Amino acid sequence: DQQVKQNSPSLSVQEGRISILNCDYTNSMFDYFLWYKKYPAEGPTFLISISSIKDKNEDGRFTVFLNKSAKHLSLHIVPSQPGDSAVYFCAASPTFGNEKLTFGTGTRLTIIP
Amino acid sequence: NAGVTQTPKFQVLKTGQSMTLQCAQDMNHNSMYWYRQDPGMGLRLIYYSASEGTTDKGEVPNGYNVSRLNKREFSLRLESAAPSQTSVYFCASSDGWGQGWGEQYFGPGTRLTVT
């Protein structure tokens, strides 16, 4: 039972345009959400997070949006750069203080120069 | 500051053999984790340790044991390897409460093949 779903295994975007990666979850107990980025042969690295008390969080070119009623979050990258080509995982955690993360299956983003 | 280190990087085992994957972190983090990543499955938590001396099962603990040797080191043992344990294994650590809650720092991974 996949509690965190990334339904698009891959996405290609032109350099300079907006990349939008989506994530859906089923567990209403999830309260904190994170995005990780992974390059080949490396471990994932933390990108950005959002708490359920917010609906938006920005960090430079990266913005995460959370729609709790729809159990949906998205990551926007603007503008997209070639170095953004990687696999992106969303992850979720239940109530604050619980460090067990449930990861989605990942979306491979390719930025076309 | 090396972050999270894992040894070995690659390993091939025969069915039934045993081995231990080593992980160490130098960030003074309390919590450490072991994940496996399989194609189409994302990362799944095997075991985690919230502090030195404690361990807890994750989503897929069967066939594995762990030891939190001290605050820095967290090892994962396969007692009798099976082909289903062919995977990439990642160790991670985090600070827990406080700055960067939830942000886990990952090692580079160990690619394990069981034949």
Side-chain angles (χ1 to χ4, degrees):
Chain A
D1 176 30
Q2 193 73 28
Q3 297 186 63
V4 179
K5 301 177 188 179
Q6 294 177 256
N7 291 318
S8 299
S10 62
L11 176 68
S12 294
V13 174
Q14 207 77 29
E15 181 179 358
R17 307 293 280 267
I18 183 171
S19 295
I20 301 176
L21 294 92
N22 294 304
C23 180
D24 297 294
Y25 61 97
T26 57
N27 189 340
S28 57
M29 295 300 293
F30 287 145
D31 213 32
Y32 192 72
F33 304 89
L34 306 92
W35 284 93
Y36 282 80
K37 175 179 178 179
K38 185 184 180 305
Y39 292 120
E42 295 183 13
T45 54
F46 171 75
L47 198 54
I48 192 168
S49 63
I50 188 166
S51 163
S52 62
I53 61 172
K54 293 185 172 184
D55 55 17
K56 177 181 172 181
N57 189 27
E58 281 182 88
D59 184 1
R61 297 186 298 113
F62 302 91
T63 303
V64 56
F65 295 92
L66 175 62
N67 182 334
K68 275 204 81 175
S69 60
K71 294 191 178 67
H72 177 83
L73 64 153
S74 61
L75 175 69
H76 292 210
I77 306 173
V78 183
S80 299
Q81 299 175 353
D84 296 330
S85 294
V87 177
Y88 290 78
F89 293 98
C90 66
S93 178
T95 52
F96 188 85
N98 187 319
E99 297 175 280
K100 284 188 180 180
L101 295 180
T102 300
F103 281 83
T105 52
T107 296
R108 182 178 301 278
L109 175 64
T110 302
I111 305 301
I112 304 161
Chain B
N1 191 349
V4 179
T5 57
Q6 293 182 237
T7 54
K9 284 189 168 47
F10 302 93
Q11 183 71 48
V12 179
L13 289 179
K14 293 188 190 312
T15 297
Q17 287 185 319
S18 62
M19 80 160 295
T20 300
L21 281 65
Q22 307 285 356
C23 174
Q25 51 92 8
D26 62 2
M27 296 174 282
N28 202 36
H29 286 167
N30 287 313
S31 301
M32 297 186 74
Y33 314 80
W34 277 105
Y35 292 90
R36 60 179 288 173
Q37 186 193 5
D38 302 295
M41 298 292 290
L43 286 94
R44 292 182 293 170
L45 183 65
I46 304 171
Y47 270 94
Y48 83 109
S49 171
S51 62
E52 187 178 349
T54 68
T55 60
D56 201 359
K57 294 178 181 178
E59 183 185 351
V60 288
N62 291 345
Y64 305 95
N65 286 302
V66 290
S67 295
R68 183 75 183 266
L69 304 168
N70 47 55
K71 192 171 185 179
R72 287 189 63 245
E73 298 172 287
F74 189 37
S75 63
L76 179 72
R77 182 158 178 86
L78 288 71
E79 291 291 352
S80 178
S84 60
Q85 294 178 305
T86 293
S87 189
V88 181
Y89 291 85
F90 290 101
C91 178
S93 71
S94 74
D95 200 24
W97 281 87
Q99 207 169 26
W101 177 86
E103 178 181 344
Q104 296 182 14
Y105 295 80
F106 284 81
T110 294
R111 186 174 294 274
L112 175 67
T113 302
V114 183
T115 61

